[in-house]
Amino acid sequence: MNYSEYSQYDGIGLSNLVQKKHIQAHELLEIAIRRSEEVNPQLNAIVISMHDQALSRAKQQHPGQFSGVPFLLKDLHQEYAGVATSYGSNSLKRNAYIATQHAEIVNRWEKTGLSIFGLTNSPEFGIKGITEPAAWGSCHNPWNLSHNSGGSSGGSAAAVAAGIVPFAGASDGGGSIRIPASYCGLFGLKPSRGRTPWGPNISEAMHGAAMQHVLTKSVRDSAAMLDATHGADTHALFKIQAPQGRYLDQIQHTVKPLKIAFCTQSPIGTKVSKDAINAIQHTAKLLESLGHTVVEAAPAIDGMALAKDFIRTWFSQCAYTVQQFKLQFGAKNQDFELDTLAIAALGARTSALDYIHNLNHWGQYTSQMNQFFNQYDLYLLPATASVAPKNGQVKTPRWQVPIIKGLLKIDQAHRLAQGHLIEQLIKTNLEWVPFTQLANITGLPAMSVPLYWNKAHMPLGSQFIAPFGREDLLLQLAAQLETAQPWMPQYRHIAV
């Protein structure tokens, strides 16, 4: 098999070839490694290699749904025992930290027979919607190398879109699956709160707002991977209700006609590009052609208030992470990026009362979404406010750098978010990606579906949010859309 043939298959397709003995697992892995050696110097998608471990494993018999299929982990909370991990940070990279045990999600992936051969690029601690860590450098978009792949699962998205692997590990705490899926023309599903495990190091991430899953080219691969990984582990705080049968079986059933609400306005009042509006209008027309009812409507949620609650929680979590890395690994301030230190400084000033207020608000937003879903089956909105930004386009302006450094030095960085400045801070941080945090805070399942490319052949995803626990409904609709408008033919325009 050559690369041209390899790239035509999804994960299930490749596994079928292995199981029918048309090709051996180590031969698939060698194709994937050769492809990575060809394109990764341009992409910077894979930052930690584990070729020896993967080749050794691939030469053994490992039955499973994805027997012999090449796979990549995200370099964030997806530890592989005996392999370095950095979380996108020099604080671990410089200490050459080696994981001592598999993350539970990795255990479940490996039981499917995958050949895991590396870890992908991620922003420091996954705190940004772009992948440009100081530890590893920018991850380039396979559709246009001058653009970024998005974040925080940007390395995984670039590797899948460039055809290195058919799918790769990802996670989503504020859009980190859906954002790079949108920017890289992939299918990206964020599961419901508690659907996939986080153990053994933690019980959940960001109070369940963050979830682990994969980025894929095909809908059926995403469904099959969720079949393999869903369910609580021993560290979980609660058990979510199990699905009614396998997701892979459920997508074979035709989805009933749905009533779908849509909105293209930014919840924080920032600019939404014409491309993003066109993407949703295109998707709405496609849905109507398939027999669904599409209505312009939005839930009665104060978008700026939700963004404030998300940012304060996000920043506070960052402060905790920085503190823990200093305690556990002896990291110093110079081991962290300036933006990370500023975010951590802001988060550290959040009082316990403010933090509890934020969490209590999450329940209010969930209630409002539940009421909204009494009228509508799904909520459609852009995954991102535009196509992917260029590398270096989303960063702290040079003139602000000495100001931030000065405020950090005198422990006054929290003044950057006082009074009306907090709203400007939110708009600056979320202007490219204002649409994804809603599903994280409410714990609802959401997906980005690649249905639109602009005239420059840059993709932009359409996001759907569903009621809690209804990944089945999202996957069924995605499968219908994939059949109605296959997105794989667009890959003839890929730049690498």
Side-chain angles (χ1 to χ4, degrees):
M1 174 185 284
N2 57 34
Y3 170 71
S4 180
E5 294 171 301
Y6 169 85
S7 65
Q8 300 304 308
Y9 290 92
D10 65 356
I12 290 176
L14 290 174
S15 182
N16 287 341
L17 293 177
V18 173
Q19 292 171 20
K20 293 176 181 177
K21 302 188 184 306
H22 295 318
I23 194 169
Q24 296 184 56
H26 73 89
E27 293 174 316
L28 281 183
L29 180 58
E30 288 164 0
I31 294 171
I33 290 174
R34 285 199 301 272
R35 176 62 176 170
S36 70
E37 290 172 344
E38 176 189 354
V39 301
N40 197 57
Q42 302 172 70
L43 297 173
N44 195 30
I46 304 170
V47 294
I48 297 172
S49 297
M50 41 186 292
H51 293 177
D52 291 342
Q53 297 97 321
L55 286 167
S56 175
R57 176 178 165 83
K59 290 177 181 178
Q60 303 169 19
Q61 195 78 18
H62 294 286
Q65 173 74 64
F66 292 109
S67 179
V69 179
F71 188 74
L72 295 164
L73 303 173
K74 179 180 180 180
D75 184 24
L76 183 69
H77 292 296
Q78 294 178 6
E79 294 90 345
Y80 194 100
V83 175
T85 187
S86 76
Y87 284 33
S89 176
N90 278 320
S91 61
L92 284 188
K93 184 182 179 184
R94 289 171 181 165
N95 286 296
Y97 174 70
I98 306 296
T100 58
Q101 58 185 336
H102 284 8
E104 176 57 24
I105 192 78
V106 174
N107 281 326
R108 297 185 186 187
W109 281 330
E110 206 165 48
K111 286 178 181 178
T112 69
L114 293 166
S115 297
I116 301 171
F117 70 100
L119 281 69
T120 62
N121 204 348
S122 171
E124 187 165 52
F125 307 136
I127 61 174
K128 294 181 179 179
I130 54 169
T131 297
E132 294 183 329
W136 301 107
S138 296
C139 183
H140 300 263
N141 194 306
W143 296 94
N144 187 323
L145 295 172
S146 67
H147 291 251
N148 198 261
S149 60
S152 62
S153 307
S156 289
V160 175
I164 298 173
V165 287
F167 43 41
S171 56
D172 190 320
S176 292
I177 288 176
R178 290 158 290 154
I179 293 165
S182 175
Y183 289 160
C184 293
L186 301 173
F187 179 69
L189 171 71
K190 181 201 81 71
S192 300
R193 176 179 283 121
R195 181 65 75 194
T196 54
W198 278 98
N201 292 331
I202 56 177
S203 58
E204 63 178 17
M206 201 172 162
H207 310 291
M211 295 305 301
Q212 307 220 59
H213 191 38
V214 289
L215 282 156
T216 67
K217 286 185 179 179
S218 74
V219 174
R220 69 174 185 171
D221 275 356
S222 185
M225 287 296 257
L226 195 56
D227 284 329
T229 59
H230 76 80
D233 64 345
T234 56
H235 293 76
L237 297 181
F238 72 97
K239 291 184 178 180
I240 188 173
Q241 184 176 352
Q244 300 294 315
R246 295 199 314 160
Y247 292 113
L248 190 57
D249 294 333
Q250 292 171 13
I251 64 172
Q252 306 303 318
H253 303 304
T254 302
V255 66
K256 67 174 185 178
L258 302 172
K259 186 177 182 182
I260 301 172
F262 81 94
C263 179
T264 58
Q265 294 182 350
S266 166
I268 59 173
T270 47
K271 181 181 178 181
V272 179
S273 71
K274 184 61 175 176
D275 278 333
I277 295 170
N278 287 343
I280 297 306
Q281 291 176 343
H282 170 81
T283 300
K285 290 178 181 178
L286 179 60
L287 289 165
E288 289 176 337
S289 74
L290 295 170
H292 304 294
T293 301
V294 183
V295 179
E296 188 167 6
I301 291 176
D302 183 332
M304 181 56 75
L306 183 145
K308 287 180 180 178
D309 290 330
F310 173 82
I311 285 289
R312 284 174 179 151
T313 308
W314 189 263
F315 285 10
S316 298
Q317 294 280 322
C318 180
Y320 172 79
T321 300
V322 169
Q323 181 194 60
Q324 290 301 300
F325 274 52
K326 287 181 176 180
L327 292 172
Q328 293 179 25
F329 307 109
K332 307 297 182 184
N333 274 357
Q334 58 265 31
D335 294 323
F336 302 100
E337 296 174 23
L338 181 64
D339 287 352
T340 300
L341 291 174
I343 288 170
L346 294 172
R349 289 292 184 137
T350 301
S351 71
L353 286 177
D354 284 341
Y355 196 83
I356 296 300
H357 274 303
N358 286 348
L359 293 181
N360 284 336
H361 293 163
W362 289 23
Q364 297 172 18
Y365 304 133
T366 301
S367 176
Q368 289 167 314
M369 286 303 297
N370 289 339
Q371 293 174 33
F372 185 70
F373 285 131
N374 287 332
Q375 295 179 271
Y376 305 100
D377 296 302
L378 295 172
Y379 184 34
L380 166 65
L381 59 165
T384 54
S386 73
V387 297
K390 291 186 176 180
N391 289 301
Q393 189 173 355
V394 184
K395 66 178 183 180
T396 301
R398 287 186 179 181
W399 65 268
Q400 287 186 9
V401 171
I403 296 174
I404 295 172
K405 285 182 176 179
L407 290 173
L408 284 168
K409 191 173 183 179
I410 61 174
D411 194 26
Q412 295 293 307
H414 61 282
R415 295 191 180 278
L416 294 169
Q418 286 186 339
H420 71 280
L421 290 177
I422 184 64
E423 292 195 6
Q424 186 56 49
L425 182 71
I426 288 169
K427 289 181 177 181
T428 299
N429 275 269
L430 300 181
E431 64 176 326
W432 291 87
V433 290
F435 298 104
T436 49
Q437 297 78 34
L438 170 62
N440 296 96
I441 279 188
T442 56
L444 300 176
M447 65 181 181
S448 178
V449 185
L451 298 171
Y452 176 84
W453 274 255
N454 68 10
K455 293 180 180 179
H457 302 300
M458 293 293 291
L460 196 151
S462 294
Q463 180 184 190
F464 293 86
I465 302 176
F468 187 76
R470 292 306 309 273
E471 289 91 340
D472 60 324
L473 184 58
L474 290 177
L475 288 164
Q476 284 180 336
L477 178 62
Q480 184 187 47
L481 293 169
E482 184 182 29
T483 299
Q485 186 191 299
W487 42 80
M488 284 299 292
Q490 288 285 348
Y491 276 74
R492 67 184 182 273
H493 299 296
I494 209 84
V496 293

